[in-house]
Amino acid sequence: MHRTLDATAALLGIGPRKLRGRLRYLGVLNHAGELECAHRDTGRFFVDCRSRWNPSINGWSHYGVVMTTEAGVAWIAGQLGIEVRRMPPASVTA
């Protein structure tokens, strides 16, 4: 399951601004909040390319959203010293 940084922060129990600040300190994000090149092909983070219609320019505006994978959540938790509990899968015959 892939998560945005806001959803990852909620899972880890810290605020999104605090998470982004710590990721900048670790060198994962640059000063503009974009993913650093060194972390793009590690399997922990990726950029989801999105677009929206912008009526003021009568065209599409394109932007990227930094996403984390399950491995990325575990890596961030390890770097920050946060324990993430793994919930067992729900029983099919509940």
Side-chain angles (χ1 to χ4, degrees):
M1 178 176 187
H2 306 302
R3 294 179 172 87
T4 63
L5 291 181
D6 290 350
T8 302
L11 179 70
L12 296 175
I14 60 176
R17 291 183 69 168
K18 191 172 187 178
L19 176 63
R20 283 183 173 81
R22 290 186 178 184
L23 290 176
R24 282 187 186 97
Y25 179 77
L26 292 171
V28 176
L29 300 177
N30 63 15
H31 68 283
E34 299 166 345
L35 187 61
E36 288 286 350
C37 293
H39 293 277
R40 287 187 186 259
D41 294 327
T42 60
R44 295 177 266 201
F45 304 97
F46 66 96
V47 177
D48 185 22
C49 299
R50 298 181 182 181
S51 59
R52 70 173 191 90
W53 181 257
N54 189 341
S56 64
I57 62 171
N58 199 26
W60 291 97
S61 294
H62 303 280
Y63 60 98
V65 176
V66 178
M67 304 287 284
T68 59
T69 62
E70 290 298 319
V73 172
W75 182 82
I76 293 170
Q79 293 293 315
L80 302 181
I82 299 172
E83 182 179 341
V84 178
R85 287 185 39 209
R86 301 274 184 225
M87 299 300 291
S91 175
V92 176
T93 59

